[in-house]
């Protein structure tokens, strides 16, 4: 048994299985992948990593596995530690492009569990790689501890991200939440006594999206990184190799790639980011962005052609419509399971307000900002703002 000091959970106790897994290159790589990608360009303290987050998830999972069959406890603890080893460099910044070219999300890690040091360790403890992979994807009943509507993964990252960014939205009583969670009819549910703690988590997540996760500077930097990664893959980089890189290795590869990728990495290094030519909410767009989201490359080419600039200098960012997964969580009231949005007017209100956090962005270098903005507003049929006039009297 070894004890590690953690700024969020104070002390984390690691057993022999955890210590063996932590020493593998696959988990050590997570020390070199920032949890929040490029958010440190907004919040200088946001340099925490996937490694410490994984330790935090492991720690919280230990509090809940007491309700699970003893035979599955080691599987779940291993899953908690290993759940993020599929992330590429800069976390979500490269996730979409890696998924597109490999057809695998960061949760599809069974292949990684079946080879190398991790495979040997799992065999030594008679643990099944396929079972661990299913737990991570939330495909098993006990796996809901790690992947479900209210799970230990989001409990840790919300508190940890708030701590390192310094925002005041991460006040979550995860100890109370865990104490009031239990399995009922193979479903991880919440006792009514934990409802306020769950409301706090939902409010925190709702407020963290516009201020941290979807801050426009982060979105611009991530879009630039995404396009540089796509450029490199189209020019010969193996996407599987990209998925195994860490942040520093990827930055060096971008520099070596030359051309567009080299320019983008220099801009990221020096914080010379593209600017917002268009940045508008869901209600201001007259076309159905859901249907055109898969065609962003074509849209970028059209806007760039109209503006007379290279396509790589028009970045269109159309996030998926926001969905609060926690809205599907179940609360036990008088022995019956009901949706959390039915148990809480506050949660129901958050569900209605979630579209307020959605933004469509078109980013370009400063010198093209006005021209690209005018073309983008026409393309997306952005409603004109109504001017307000004061009545000065008759």
């Amino acid at each position: 048994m070894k004890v590690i000091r953690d700024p969020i959970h104070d002390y984390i106790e690691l057993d022999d299985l955890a210590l063996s897994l932590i020493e593998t290159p696959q988990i050590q790589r997570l020390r070199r992948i920032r949890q929040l990608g490029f958010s440190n360009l907004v919040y200088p303290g946001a340099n925490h990593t996937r490694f410490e987050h994984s330790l935090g998830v492991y720690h919280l999972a230990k509090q809940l596995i007491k309700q699970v069959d003893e035979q599955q406890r080691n599987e779940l603890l291993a899953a908690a530690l290993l759940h993020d080893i599929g992330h590429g460099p800069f976390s979500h910044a490269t996730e979409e492009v890696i998924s597109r070219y490999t057809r695998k999300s960061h949760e599809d890690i069974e292949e990684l569990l079946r080879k190398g040091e991790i495979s040997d360790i799992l065999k030594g403890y008679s643990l099944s790689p396929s079972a661990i992979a299913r737990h991570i994807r939330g495909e098993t009943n006990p796996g809901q501890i790690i992947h479900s509507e209210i799970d230990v993964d989001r409990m840790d990252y919300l508190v940890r991200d708030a701590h390192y960014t310094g925002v005041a939205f991460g006040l979550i009583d995860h100890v109370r939440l865990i104490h009031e969670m239990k399995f009922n009819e193979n479903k991880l549910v919440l006792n009514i006594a934990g409802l306020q703690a769950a409301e706090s988590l939902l409010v925190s997540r709702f407020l963290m999206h516009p201020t941290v996760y979807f801050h426009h500077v982060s979105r611009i930097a991530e879009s630039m990184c995404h396009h540089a990664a796509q450029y490199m893959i189209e020019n010969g980089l193996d996407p599987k190799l990209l998925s195994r890189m860490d942040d520093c290795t990827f930055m060096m590869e971008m520099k070596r790639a030359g051309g567009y990728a080299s320019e983008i990495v220099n801009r990221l290094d020096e914080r010379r980011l593209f600017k917002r030519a268009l940045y508008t909410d869901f209600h201001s767009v007259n076309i159905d962005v859901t249907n055109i989201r898969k065609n962003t490359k074509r849209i970028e080419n059209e806007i760039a052609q109209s503006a007379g600039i290279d396509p790589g200098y028009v970045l269109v960012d159309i996030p998926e419509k926001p969905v609060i997964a926690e809205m599907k969580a179940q609360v036990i009231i008088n022995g019956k399971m009901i949706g959390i949005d039915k148990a809480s007017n506050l949660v129901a209100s958050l569900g209605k307000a979630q579209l307020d956090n959605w933004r469509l962005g078109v980013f370009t270098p400063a010198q093209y900002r006005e021209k690209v903005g005018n073309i983008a507003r026409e393309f997306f049929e952005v409603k004109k703002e109504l001017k307000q006039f004061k009545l000065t009297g008759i």
Side-chain angles (χ1 to χ4, degrees):
M1 184 73 69
K2 186 174 183 178
V3 177
I4 292 178
R5 177 74 176 181
D6 180 70
I8 306 301
H9 304 300
D10 292 330
Y11 291 100
I12 297 176
E13 293 184 352
L14 303 171
D15 60 17
D16 291 340
L17 171 60
L19 288 170
S20 298
L21 289 172
I22 283 173
E23 291 173 357
T24 62
Q26 292 84 353
I27 289 188
Q28 288 297 311
R29 184 181 71 97
L30 300 182
R31 289 183 183 270
R32 303 183 297 278
I33 297 179
R34 283 200 291 266
Q35 173 82 5
L36 290 179
F38 292 97
S39 289
N40 66 334
L41 297 178
V42 185
Y43 302 101
N47 290 303
H48 55 302
T49 67
R50 290 277 159 185
F51 176 79
E52 55 201 272
H53 164 61
S54 297
L55 292 178
V57 174
Y58 167 86
H59 171 76
L60 295 180
K62 285 181 73 174
Q63 317 306 312
L64 267 176
I65 60 167
K66 298 169 186 176
Q67 304 182 45
V68 175
D69 182 272
E70 188 172 353
Q71 191 173 1
Q72 293 180 312
R73 290 181 186 177
N74 278 342
E75 286 180 358
L76 286 166
L77 290 178
L81 268 180
L82 296 164
H83 79 283
D84 268 352
I85 63 170
H87 267 293
F90 295 104
S91 297
H92 296 293
T94 58
E95 182 171 10
E96 187 175 337
V97 69
I98 290 172
S99 176
R100 183 191 311 163
Y101 286 97
T102 65
R103 304 296 181 187
K104 291 184 178 180
S105 77
H106 74 272
E107 294 175 342
D108 297 319
I109 65 166
E110 187 167 345
E111 182 181 345
L112 296 174
L113 303 181
R114 291 189 176 279
K115 60 185 181 183
E117 296 88 341
I118 289 179
S119 175
D120 295 338
I121 292 168
L122 297 182
K123 286 179 182 176
Y125 283 85
S126 300
L127 299 178
S128 164
S130 59
I132 292 171
R134 289 197 302 273
H135 292 323
I136 290 171
R137 293 191 297 267
E139 295 173 354
T140 67
N141 292 329
Q144 295 173 76
I145 289 173
I146 298 166
H147 186 133
S148 64
E149 293 82 14
I150 297 181
D151 54 39
V152 294
D153 181 18
R154 70 193 68 213
M155 285 183 208
D156 183 83
Y157 77 64
L158 282 171
V159 178
R160 195 171 297 277
D161 293 349
H163 174 81
Y164 282 102
T165 55
V167 301
F169 306 134
L171 301 176
I172 301 168
D173 190 351
H174 54 270
V175 175
R176 178 72 170 180
L177 261 178
I178 288 173
H179 185 265
E180 297 299 337
M181 295 176 76
K182 67 178 182 180
F183 282 93
N184 184 66
E185 298 177 7
N186 291 325
K187 175 75 175 173
L188 188 62
V189 299
L190 189 68
N191 290 322
I192 187 62
L195 182 58
Q196 286 187 326
E199 288 175 333
S200 177
L201 182 145
L202 281 159
V203 169
S204 173
R205 187 178 184 275
F206 178 82
L207 295 173
M208 288 282 282
H209 264 74
T211 54
V212 177
Y213 303 132
F214 277 75
H215 191 284
H216 71 273
V217 171
S218 298
R219 296 298 293 185
I220 292 170
E222 288 181 6
S223 293
M224 293 170 67
C225 178
H226 168 94
H227 281 72
Q230 184 169 287
Y231 169 88
M232 293 170 68
I233 289 174
E234 290 174 352
N235 284 274
L237 176 65
D238 183 350
K240 287 187 177 181
L241 179 61
L242 171 61
S243 69
R244 302 276 62 82
M245 291 180 184
D246 57 39
D247 296 355
C248 292
T249 306
F250 180 52
M251 294 287 270
M252 289 190 295
E253 287 297 320
M254 279 196 283
K255 290 179 187 291
R256 279 199 286 261
Y260 178 76
S262 181
E263 179 187 346
I264 293 298
V265 74
N266 288 333
R267 282 179 170 272
L268 291 170
D269 266 347
E270 299 167 12
R271 205 184 183 276
R272 292 185 294 109
L273 306 181
F274 288 10
K275 303 299 181 182
R276 290 176 288 177
L278 175 66
Y279 202 64
T280 190
D281 60 33
F282 176 80
H283 306 289
S284 299
V285 180
N286 275 330
I287 61 177
D288 187 354
V289 293
T290 304
N291 290 332
I292 65 172
R293 187 175 181 272
K294 63 182 72 172
N295 297 317
T296 53
K297 191 168 184 178
R298 177 182 61 80
I299 297 169
E300 289 168 348
N301 290 338
E302 285 188 26
I303 295 175
Q305 186 176 11
S306 298
I309 60 179
D310 291 336
Y313 298 98
V314 174
L315 313 184
V316 174
D317 179 33
I318 308 177
E320 293 183 358
K321 286 186 180 180
V323 176
I324 301 179
E326 294 90 338
M327 298 283 287
K328 297 179 181 178
Q330 299 287 304
V331 181
I332 294 288
I333 300 179
N334 297 325
K336 294 183 179 179
M337 290 192 298
I338 68 169
I340 194 170
D341 57 331
K342 302 294 190 300
S344 167
N345 290 328
L346 174 59
V347 173
S349 298
L350 291 177
K352 295 175 183 176
Q354 61 184 333
L355 271 182
D356 293 343
N357 289 337
W358 186 94
R359 294 290 184 274
L360 179 150
V362 178
F363 314 130
T364 192
Q367 64 267 34
Y368 308 131
R369 188 175 189 174
E370 184 176 354
K371 182 187 292 187
V372 170
N374 290 334
I375 296 169
R377 275 188 288 274
E378 184 177 347
F379 182 92
F380 289 106
E381 301 179 14
V382 177
K383 300 173 188 175
K384 293 182 179 179
E385 293 183 5
L386 294 176
K387 293 183 179 179
Q388 292 184 344
F389 297 93
K390 289 186 177 180
L391 296 176
T392 56
I394 299 173

